[in-house]
Amino acid sequence: MKIYIAGKITGNEIYYAEFLTAEIELKNKGHIVFNPTTLPLGLEHEQYLHICKAMIDVCEAVAFLPNWTESKGAKEEMEYANSKGKKIIYLEE
């Protein structure tokens, strides 16, 4: 299954490690993983969101890290994923 990872990035000093851990775990289960932390630095929030929505479009599911409710972007991704009928997965700490 193709899975996009969503969670808190802005204001989260350990976001990269959290996303990477989730990516490894999902890949080890045989999934193709879309990790937004691999995008280049320096874009505006709306530019990132535009790219992330495109990644969600090609995925069957979105996996949410435990801190996703603390993120404006992840909340928008949740709304978008639901509007597109994507499977929602909640990852544990």
Side-chain angles (χ1 to χ4, degrees):
M1 182 176 353
K2 293 183 290 295
I3 301 175
Y4 174 86
I5 303 170
K8 181 178 171 134
I9 294 176
T10 304
N12 179 3
E13 293 181 9
I14 59 168
Y15 77 87
Y16 189 79
E18 291 176 343
F19 278 76
L20 183 59
T21 299
E23 178 180 356
I24 291 168
E25 289 175 7
L26 291 167
K27 281 184 175 179
N28 285 342
K29 294 178 181 177
H31 301 294
I32 298 168
V33 180
F34 289 74
N35 181 344
T37 66
T38 62
L39 294 171
L41 299 176
L43 301 177
E44 298 294 325
H45 174 78
E46 290 304 318
Q47 293 172 315
Y48 283 118
L49 195 57
H50 180 76
I51 295 167
C52 292
K53 285 179 178 179
M55 289 195 284
I56 291 169
D57 284 341
V58 300
C59 291
E60 289 87 30
V62 179
F64 287 86
L65 295 170
N67 61 8
W68 77 271
T69 59
E70 301 169 20
S71 167
K72 174 186 171 190
K75 287 178 184 177
E76 290 180 49
E77 291 167 339
M78 172 63 87
E79 288 179 25
Y80 187 76
N82 280 325
S83 76
K84 297 294 184 176
K86 303 298 178 176
K87 178 179 180 180
I88 304 298
I89 299 167
Y90 296 100
L91 300 174
E92 297 180 17
E93 291 185 63

